[in-house]
Amino acid sequence: MTNDLGYHTFMQRRPRIGIAMRIDHSTERFYLARHYSEAVEAAGGAPLHISLIPNAEYIDAVVDGLDGILLPGSNSDVDPLRYGQQPHLALGEVHTLKDETDLLIINAAERRQLPIFAICFGMQVLNVSRGGTLIQDIASQVPGAIKHEQGVPRDRASHSAKVSADSKLNEIIKTEDLLINSHHHQAIETLGADLVATAWSPDGVIEAFEDPRPDRFIVAVQWHPEMGWQNDLFSQRLFNSFVAQARETADNLSAARV
């Protein structure tokens, strides 16, 4: 059954969703904005935080117990050396610990074919993991760019996006026209292997991509559906679909062990 927001309620075990944490170097603390976990929980998942420890053995041990991976946003940029570029003058902070750990998480999830939902920075690092490149600064590198760093209030929809009609994203949210929030100065330049763009802002910036292969659930969006999800049907559909796919993955793994 569903609640008033359209979210599913379930009697069976919640699928376990790993969410990569972020780091504040000024305080040496791992952190994660509450909205990611709250949106996953409301969709029927069990959010579990993954510490930024770039040790492959640790990451494999954690991911072995998960049914899906959420790659969240960040206040830093992917190191451009990881995609073969020198740093642009407008490059923001680079957190090596985060880059290395996110890439290990992606690798572990891909080997297990776990569902992946990537948001903002998560979308960018996922693209880099597949061999793609990034626009390091939209304002100075995209002719005719609109404003992509809207400021506060952060959950306000600040510009439109067009969704590909034949995409998995369109199948999930059931619309080709979106109004989205925007909190990024970098974007996708060239897409990585087995990824296709599925949404664009009016200036041509890629706002979403996915892996179209039928045996994969990899959906990435440049905006932040976790912000204001309580009142946004499209955000709810994204989290619902991701958690439902994680549940299916968990059920398939359980059946294979019997």
Side-chain angles (χ1 to χ4, degrees):
M1 62 182 174
T2 60
N3 64 14
D4 291 340
L5 288 175
Y7 267 54
H8 298 285
T9 57
F10 302 95
M11 298 301 293
Q12 65 263 49
R13 181 184 71 80
R14 289 171 174 258
R16 295 159 295 196
I17 307 299
I19 311 176
M21 299 187 75
R22 296 312 183 213
I23 186 167
D24 180 350
H25 280 294
S26 65
T27 61
E28 291 297 325
R29 293 178 178 176
F30 293 146
Y31 73 92
L32 187 70
R34 59 184 284 187
H35 311 297
Y36 297 104
S37 297
E38 290 174 344
V40 166
E41 189 279 330
L48 301 172
H49 297 174
I50 304 175
S51 298
L52 296 183
I53 301 175
N55 179 307
E57 184 180 1
Y58 159 69
I59 295 301
D60 275 336
V62 171
V63 175
D64 267 341
L66 300 176
D67 306 309
I69 293 292
L70 193 158
L71 299 170
S74 173
N75 61 351
S76 65
D77 295 335
V78 180
D79 188 341
L81 294 178
R82 294 185 183 276
Y83 50 93
Q85 293 184 13
Q86 296 301 314
H88 188 278
L89 283 172
L91 181 72
E93 291 184 10
V94 170
H95 297 170
T96 301
L97 194 70
K98 176 174 54 57
D99 288 1
E100 291 179 356
T101 308
D102 275 23
L103 290 168
L104 286 172
I105 292 170
I106 292 167
N107 181 268
E110 296 252 50
R111 283 188 279 111
R112 293 163 176 80
Q113 293 191 22
L114 294 181
I116 298 176
F117 182 28
I119 295 172
C120 199
F121 174 91
M123 172 180 176
Q124 295 165 8
V125 73
L126 176 57
N127 187 57
V128 170
S129 78
R130 293 284 189 96
T133 63
L134 303 178
I135 297 167
Q136 292 193 48
D137 184 60
I138 295 171
S140 61
Q141 294 183 298
V142 176
I146 64 173
K147 186 177 179 64
H148 287 272
E149 295 181 277
Q150 72 180 57
V152 296
R154 293 179 62 79
D155 61 348
R156 176 180 68 88
S158 66
H159 70 76
S160 62
K162 194 72 175 179
V163 179
S164 173
D166 59 352
S167 63
K168 187 177 299 180
L169 177 62
N170 180 269
E171 181 181 332
I172 292 169
I173 63 177
K174 299 177 172 48
T175 186
E176 296 179 32
D177 298 292
L178 277 176
L179 289 175
I180 57 177
N181 57 47
S182 195
H183 302 283
H184 60 110
H185 83 110
Q186 298 201 323
I188 305 303
E189 183 180 50
T190 59
L191 284 161
D194 297 311
L195 298 175
V196 296
T198 57
W200 301 261
S201 56
D203 55 9
V205 166
I206 294 174
E207 293 287 349
F209 67 61
E210 62 194 45
D211 187 326
R213 291 176 291 179
D215 61 340
R216 306 296 173 97
F217 182 98
I218 295 178
V219 174
V221 299
Q222 188 61 72
W223 67 94
H224 285 266
E226 83 283 1
M227 295 180 183
W229 61 268
Q230 299 94 330
N231 300 309
D232 184 75
L233 179 61
F234 302 129
S235 296
Q236 293 165 20
R237 286 173 176 169
L238 277 167
F239 281 100
N240 267 343
S241 179
F242 167 57
V243 171
Q245 188 63 47
R247 176 173 289 102
E248 182 177 328
T249 298
D251 290 345
N252 290 340
L253 287 174
S254 295
R257 296 189 186 104
V258 175

